[in-house]
Amino acid sequence: MKQNRKYFHRRMNAALIMILFTAIGLLSSCVTQQEVEYLQDPNKGTRTFNEAQIEDYRLKPYDELYIQITSLDDASSNMFSGAAQQQFTNAGSLQPYGASLVSYGIDKDGFLILPMIGTVNVKDQTILQVSKLLKDSLVSILNQPIVSVKLVNRYISVLGEVRSPGHFALAQEKLTVYDALGLAGDINEYGNKKEVILTRNEDGKNIRVALDLTKSEILASNYYYMKPNDMLYIKPMRKKFWGMREFPFSVVLTTISTALLIYSVTK
């Protein structure tokens, strides 16, 4: 009888030790406050950062341009704006995807084909440069031409550990990485704010940049602002198996309490 009791006590001790180590392991897997905060800084006061530099976007093959041309000679300028484009302009805004119906596409070699003007090389040009180029080309055709050029169908992608991953239209010239995360519903409890990957195409090469969104220094980074066709990928934490909200505190505590009760009774 005594041997059975000793054997039972040893089993109970082993079970308690196993439960204890399991609880410690689970607790160590919890997400800490430091891992979920943005823009952390040892200095709790006000800090000033130089504004991140954002270069003018340079056109690439397959970009799409909305071009509006007006002049004192309406009859001549109408040849550049078909009925559908006029109707779309009167609507007052360029809607995502719908802008493709009234835009001019840049071909794979970087050329734009326009009525009367012909073929124009716009690769690596800025929107302002293209506007001036088209205006100069129209001076001999139209009376005081006015050219308005906009880059349409500009999109970014936000993937990984966010609440609403997807493909989003760039509705403003300056969109920060935090704005992009806001469009995707913010990083969820499993997302690693210290390991965010930004991919971007520059000079015909795809680059990969690692961002740490917990550091305030990102406010002065050249990658603080998003560019068309950028992609943000939020990596998962290694602790994803147990998140803060899903941690089974009640189950663990109930198991430990039950084991202690049985142990005390049998002892």
Side-chain angles (χ1 to χ4, degrees):
M1 188 69 176
K2 291 183 178 180
Q3 290 181 348
N4 291 337
R5 267 192 180 180
K6 289 182 179 179
Y7 175 76
F8 180 76
H9 288 164
R10 286 199 296 268
R11 292 292 299 272
M12 287 298 300
N13 289 335
L16 287 173
I17 293 173
M18 183 177 296
I19 291 173
L20 178 61
F21 277 107
T22 301
I24 293 174
L26 292 176
L27 289 171
S28 65
S29 298
C30 285
V31 181
T32 64
Q33 182 178 355
Q34 189 176 13
E35 293 173 310
V36 299
E37 290 184 351
Y38 290 113
L39 301 174
Q40 299 174 30
D41 200 306
N43 184 3
K44 302 302 181 181
T46 302
R47 288 188 62 187
T48 302
F49 297 88
N50 293 327
E51 184 177 8
Q53 297 297 318
I54 179 170
E55 298 180 355
D56 291 333
Y57 180 77
R58 297 193 174 272
L59 296 172
K60 299 179 177 62
Y62 306 111
D63 279 343
E64 295 180 349
L65 299 177
Y66 171 77
I67 302 174
Q68 184 179 23
I69 299 174
T70 58
S71 75
L72 297 179
D73 185 1
D74 290 335
S76 298
S77 61
N78 282 341
M79 70 180 65
F80 295 95
S81 304
Q85 187 170 352
Q86 288 291 338
Q87 183 179 1
F88 202 80
T89 302
N90 294 334
S93 64
L94 295 176
Q95 299 298 327
Y97 297 109
S100 296
L101 300 175
V102 293
S103 63
Y104 294 93
I106 302 174
D107 65 21
K108 62 182 179 64
D109 297 315
F111 288 94
L112 191 67
I113 302 177
L114 295 173
M116 296 192 68
I117 297 178
T119 303
V120 182
N121 187 359
V122 296
K123 183 179 180 181
D124 295 329
Q125 301 273 352
T126 66
I127 296 297
L128 186 61
Q129 289 172 334
V130 172
S131 299
K132 185 178 185 306
L133 179 63
L134 297 182
K135 182 178 180 180
D136 293 342
S137 301
L138 293 168
V139 168
S140 59
I141 302 175
L142 301 178
N143 184 11
Q144 298 184 21
I146 299 175
V147 180
S148 175
V149 180
K150 295 182 181 296
L151 178 66
V152 299
N153 290 352
R154 305 178 304 161
Y155 295 94
I156 59 169
S157 298
V158 184
L159 306 174
E161 297 297 330
V162 291
R163 291 182 172 82
S164 302
H167 198 51
F168 305 97
L170 277 174
Q172 59 197 68
E173 293 298 326
K174 286 187 174 183
L175 188 85
T176 70
V177 292
Y178 296 104
D179 293 329
L181 292 174
L183 293 175
D186 200 6
I187 297 176
N188 62 33
E189 58 269 21
Y190 299 134
N192 191 341
K193 295 179 176 64
K194 295 183 178 182
E195 294 187 28
V196 175
I197 305 301
L198 170 70
T199 64
R200 174 176 295 173
N201 184 280
E202 288 187 347
D203 301 325
K205 297 180 179 179
N206 291 322
I207 63 172
R208 176 186 182 276
V209 182
L211 303 177
D212 185 348
L213 302 185
T214 66
K215 301 295 184 183
S216 296
E217 284 72 19
I218 193 174
L219 297 174
S221 169
N222 290 333
Y223 301 101
Y224 181 57
Y225 290 106
M226 303 289 290
K227 289 186 177 182
N229 303 317
D230 279 359
M231 189 273 288
L232 273 182
Y233 171 63
I234 291 77
K235 298 176 66 175
M237 289 186 179
R238 295 180 180 178
K239 303 176 180 181
K240 181 176 178 178
F241 183 73
W242 290 114
M244 286 189 299
R245 296 179 183 177
E246 288 75 17
F247 185 81
F249 287 107
S250 59
V251 176
V252 173
L253 292 176
T254 301
T255 303
I256 294 175
S257 301
T258 303
L260 290 174
L261 178 61
I262 295 173
Y263 179 75
S264 62
V265 171
T266 55
K267 188 176 181 179

